[in-house]
Amino acid sequence: MLRFLTAGESHGPQLTAILDGMVAGVAVSSADIDRDLAKRQVGYGASPRMKIERDHAQITGGVMGGHTTGAPIALTIDNLDHEKWKDRDIAPMTVPRPGHADLTGAIKYGYRELRLALERASARETAARVAVGAICRKYLHEFGIVIGSYVVSIGSVEAKIDSEINYLDRFAQADQSEVRCPDPIAAEQMHAEIRATMEAKDTLGGITEVVALNVPPGLGSHVQWDRRLSARLMGALSSVPAMKGVEIGAAFENARQRGTQVHDEILREGDRLVRATNRSGGFEGGITTGEPIVLHGAMKPIATTLNPLRSVDLATGEETHTNYERSDFCPVPRAGVILEAMTAFVLADALIEKLGGDSLAEMKPRFAQLRQARLEDLSMDNVKWKF
Ligand code: EPS
């Protein structure tokens, strides 16, 4: 239903995105998108490149009079750094960095210069994704759905977040923190850990928790593998560069426990069916339960390290060491908004699929009629039957 493509190189003139399948009637402005783009540019440990760029989305199609028309939405984001690169004689790069797409890209496409892989594999591309996600987020807001994130670990430092703190407060606290961690003690330790990593000329990874609130039950489906929304979400999050692991709820902890300790018991609150816990992270059978969707994205320490790693110069065939390219030391704090964008895209797609229709006006009444986890929505025949 909903799909998007991006194009553009890290140091080329601009990034382009096309979002196809967004319904008519959603209020969207450049300012809405720029707010999210700005979040992607800050965070301790970010590349000096972020001081050069002032990401701004220019909407060039699909929005008229401040609202989506149902046509494909096109937008561009200029790379301000392009000025410094254009018309320059660029020294070829022939030593691939372990962990980046330099070598695999060259093997696949037969490049004779590794920059051709680097330019497109660069996480610069995620600016276009964040812009697309901002539009999806505006659509989801119309139905009260909110997506946020915060950092739960950087390197070996783990946040201890009081379970009493509600998600909206966690998002707000993360926005106040240079490392986007709502636990102020852990945030200080994370800051120190990033500083120590920079001094050691190294890079650092971490884990971000992404949460979607007020998602109705019944999105996605158990009936076919590729309709499991949990799988679509995990796939989308793992497509973010350097994101090497995705977890739904407490999946890895759950795997160490017995079933009675893991599953979210079903209780009654008046007519409503509620859950005692949310260890499943908001999914059962690949379908949303109506509880918060909780995901974790594990980011590896990025591949461009100031201290060299062993590699081979493809021009000479000699074993050598990598050369440093300007880069982030720890992009984990600014990765959250990218994970949020991918979550917003997948959830918007699932909601459009569920509701049908071409405009917000058609969808609003359908949303109000969605079946909920209430006894009155679930009439059971209670009679014997046979296959
Ligand atoms: C990146 C390397 C750095 C980062 C870049 C991702 O770029 P440069 O080589 O220009 O210093 O700044 O991220 C961005 C440009 C961005 O907007 O996030 C890489 O190698 O992936």
Side-chain angles (χ1 to χ4, degrees), residues 11 40 47 49-50 100 122-124 326-328 334:
H11 304 97
R40 206 194 64 91
S47 161
R49 170 87 182 265
M50 290 304 100
H100 219 293
S122 164
R124 176 74 192 145
R326 178 184 61 183
S327 178
D328 296 69
R334 67 195 195 92

Side-chain angles (χ1 to χ4, degrees), residues 66-77:
H67 290 80
T68 57
T69 64
I73 300 168
L75 58 88
T76 62
I77 301 165

